[in-house]
C-alpha cells in the first residue's frame, strides 16, 4: 500500500501556491527574451506580445492538477490559464524522478525553490508565439520550450535541473534502446500519458485521489515514463547544443526556431543520435 511522504508533500504545499503578482513578474521577465527569439517570418514579430492571465480551479481544468498552465491564443493575444496550487504536479515529479542515479537531495532542492513553477510558466510564454506544426508533440516540439525555460533560470537552479535532466536522459535512453523503434515507443509514452491524464483529471484534484492513483502499478509506470521523458527531451537538446553549437548559440537557436521547429519530425534525428551516442548505461 502506497502512502504519500506527508512531510515533503507539506513542504511542497508551502511553496507551490502561485499568485497574480508572481506569475506576472515571470511573464514580464520572459516577454523581452521571447520577442528576440521570434523569426522574421512570424506575424507577431515587432508586436508587444500581450498576455491575459487567468486563474482556474483544478476541478475546471482539462487535466485537473496534472498540468499547471494552459497557454492559448485568443484574437492575436496570448492567454495563460493557471491553476494556483502546483503541489500535486511537483509531487508527481518527485515520485517519477526517483530513478537510478538521481540525487534525491538535488531533486528535492529543485522542487522546493520554485524553479519548476517558473519553468512551467515561462516556457508557456513562448509557446503561443512559437512556429509549431499542427498536432505538435509534447515530448519533441515542446522540449525546445522547456530547454529554453531551463536556460533562463538563475545559475544554481539551472545547474540543478540540468543534472536532473541528464540523469533522466540516461534512464530514458536505457529504456528506449531496448526497442527496435524507439521513436514509436516515445510516441506511445506521450499518447498513453495524455489519455491517462484526461481520464484521471478529477482524481488528481484530491489527496485521496492521489493515494488511490499511486496504488495502481500501471499509473506509476505511466507517470514515471512520461515525466522522465519530458526531462529526456531537454537533455537531448542540451547534448545537441553542445555538439552542434558551442560558441555559436544564437545561430543554432535561430535555426531551430526558424527552420526546424515547424517540422512534424522535429528532434527525431537528435533523439536517435542521442541513443547511439552512448548515453544509455546498461545495468
Amino acid at each position: 500500500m502506497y502512502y504519500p511522504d506527508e512531510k515533503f508533500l507539506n513542504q511542497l504545499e508551502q511553496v507551490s501556491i502561485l499568485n497574480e503578482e508572481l506569475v506576472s513578474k515571470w511573464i514580464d521577465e520572459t516577454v523581452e527574451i521571447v520577442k528576440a527569439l521570434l523569426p522574421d517570418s512570424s506575424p507577431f514579430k515587432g508586436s508587444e506580445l500581450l498576455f491575459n492571465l487567468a486563474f482556474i480551479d483544478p476541478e475546471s481544468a482539462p487535466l485537473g492538477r496534472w498540468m499547471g498552465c494552459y497557454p492559448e491564443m485568443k484574437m492575436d493575444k496570448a492567454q495563460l490559464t493557471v491553476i494556483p496550487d502546483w503541489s500535486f504536479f511537483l509531487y508527481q515529479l518527485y515520485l517519477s524522478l526517483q530513478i537510478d542515479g538521481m540525487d534525491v537531495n538535488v531533486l528535492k532542492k529543485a522542487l522546493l525553490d520554485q524553479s519548476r513553477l517558473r519553468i512551467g510558466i515561462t516556457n508557456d510564454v513562448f509557446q503561443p508565439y512559437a512556429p509549431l506544426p499542427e498536432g505538435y508533440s509534447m515530448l519533441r516540439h515542446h522540449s525546445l520550450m522547456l530547454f529554453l525555460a531551463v536556460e533562463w533560470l538563475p545559475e544554481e537552479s539551472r545547474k540543478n535541473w540540468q543534472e536532473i535532466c541528464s540523469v533522466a536522459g540516461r534512464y530514458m535512453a536505457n529504456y528506449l534502446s531496448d526497442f527496435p523503434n524507439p521513436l514509436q515507443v516515445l510516441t506511445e509514452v506521450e499518447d498513453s500519458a495524455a489519455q491517462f491524464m484526461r481520464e484521471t483529471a478529477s482524481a488528481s484534484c484530491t489527496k485521496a485521489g492521489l493515494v488511490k492513483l499511486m496504488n495502481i502499478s500501471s499509473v506509476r509506470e505511466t507517470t514515471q515514463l512520461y515525466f522522465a521523458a519530458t526531462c529526456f527531451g531537454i537533455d537531448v537538446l542540451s547534448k545537441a547544443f553542445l555538439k552542434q553549437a558551442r560558441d555559436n548559440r544564437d545561430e543554432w537557436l535561430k535555426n531551430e526556431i526558424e527552420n526546424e521547429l515547424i517540422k512534424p519530425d522535429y528532434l527525431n534525428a537528435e533523439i536517435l543520435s542521442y541513443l547511439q551516442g552512448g548515453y544509455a548505461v546498461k545495468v
Side-chain angles (χ1 to χ4, degrees), residues 68-281:
C69 184
Y70 298 84
E72 59 184 323
M73 188 66 71
K74 290 186 174 181
M75 301 293 290
D76 292 336
K77 187 174 184 179
Q79 173 159 320
L80 296 185
T81 302
V82 180
I83 67 169
D85 180 358
W86 289 40
S87 57
F88 173 90
F89 173 76
L90 295 184
Y91 194 71
Q92 292 304 317
L93 284 174
Y94 171 64
L95 295 178
S96 298
L97 295 177
Q98 291 185 53
I99 52 183
D100 289 342
M102 187 65 70
D103 186 328
V104 177
N105 290 326
V106 171
L107 179 61
K108 284 186 172 182
K109 185 175 183 179
L111 294 172
L112 288 171
D113 69 0
Q114 294 194 317
S115 59
R116 189 55 184 84
L117 306 183
R118 185 168 178 165
I119 291 170
I121 296 298
T122 58
N123 91 91
D124 282 341
V125 174
F126 182 35
Q127 182 179 331
Y129 296 104
L132 294 165
E134 192 74 24
Y136 80 101
S137 166
M138 285 292 292
L139 294 183
R140 292 185 294 104
H141 299 87
H142 200 74
S143 291
L144 181 61
M145 282 154 271
L146 291 172
F147 166 77
L148 289 170
V150 170
E151 288 286 300
W152 298 333
L153 290 172
E155 182 177 6
E156 183 177 357
S157 295
R158 181 173 68 252
K159 288 181 176 179
N160 287 339
W161 280 107
Q162 287 171 340
E163 178 180 337
I164 290 166
C165 290
S166 180
V167 175
R170 292 195 298 271
Y171 172 83
M172 284 304 298
N174 186 43
Y175 176 80
L176 293 171
S177 64
D178 284 336
F179 296 93
N181 190 341
L183 296 176
Q184 179 60 37
V185 173
L186 200 60
T187 298
E188 291 169 359
V189 167
E190 179 175 358
D191 292 345
S192 176
Q195 179 180 348
F196 159 77
M197 290 177 185
R198 289 193 296 268
E199 292 174 349
T200 61
S202 296
S204 74
C205 294
T206 66
K207 189 174 291 188
L210 165 66
V211 174
K212 182 177 179 180
L213 289 173
M214 290 301 99
N215 278 286
I216 304 172
S217 59
S218 60
V219 169
R220 294 196 298 271
E221 180 180 358
T222 297
T223 54
Q224 183 167 67
L225 285 174
Y226 177 74
F227 285 123
T230 61
C231 293
F232 168 72
I234 296 170
D235 200 49
V236 168
L237 279 164
S238 295
K239 298 294 192 297
F241 167 67
L242 288 174
K243 181 179 180 180
Q244 300 173 24
R246 292 191 181 274
D247 297 328
N248 205 359
R249 179 186 186 278
D250 291 343
E251 284 301 313
W252 174 82
L253 187 54
K254 180 180 179 181
N255 182 63
E256 289 294 299
I257 295 171
E258 290 190 2
N259 302 315
E260 301 298 325
L261 189 60
I262 192 63
K263 296 178 180 177
D265 64 350
Y266 177 70
L267 213 60
N268 280 354
E270 288 81 1
I271 289 170
L272 293 177
S273 177
Y274 186 102
L275 296 179
Q276 295 163 4
Y279 298 113
V281 179

Side-chain angles (χ1 to χ4, degrees), residues 35-47 49:
K35 284 182 181 180
L37 291 176
L38 293 180
D40 292 338
S41 59
S42 171
F44 304 105
K45 187 71 172 180
S47 66
L49 305 192

